[in-house]
């Protein structure tokens, strides 16, 4: 069973743990964007999705993600 909440061409948002707390992990390493952790709340989920969308927009604009 997967814990993926959201996925696009830049990566995915999954549930996980960071520093002993439940977190949402936005993983954009497939396109070189790295990983970011967000609070496991509705606001955190929206921020994680927005992060992946921004990575995807940057990738589309430049052809490759640059941090």
């Amino acid at each position: 069973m997967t814990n993926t909440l959201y996925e696009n061409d830049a990566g995915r948002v999954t549930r996980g743990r960071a520093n002993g707390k439940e977190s949402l992990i936005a993983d954009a390493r497939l396109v070189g964007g790295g990983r970011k952790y967000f609070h496991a709340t509705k606001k955190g989920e929206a921020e994680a999705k927005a992060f992946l969308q921004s990575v995807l927009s940057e990738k589309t604009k430049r052809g490759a993600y640059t941090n």
Side-chain angles (χ1 to χ4, degrees):
M1 182 174 157
T2 182
N3 58 357
T4 300
L5 301 174
Y6 175 77
E7 192 168 3
N8 69 14
D9 289 341
R12 70 183 78 189
V13 176
T14 58
R15 290 196 181 277
R17 296 191 77 73
N19 297 325
K21 296 180 182 177
E22 177 141 355
S23 299
L24 298 176
I25 305 164
D27 188 351
R29 291 181 294 179
L30 293 173
V31 293
R35 289 175 81 171
K36 278 188 97 172
Y37 295 86
F38 298 90
H39 295 289
T41 61
K42 290 284 184 193
K43 182 180 177 190
E45 186 174 345
E47 290 172 347
K49 288 179 181 179
F51 168 72
L52 281 186
Q53 192 59 42
S54 71
V55 170
L56 185 60
S57 297
E58 190 69 22
K59 179 180 182 262
T60 302
K61 196 180 338 176
R62 297 178 189 256
Y65 178 77
T66 55
N67 201 356

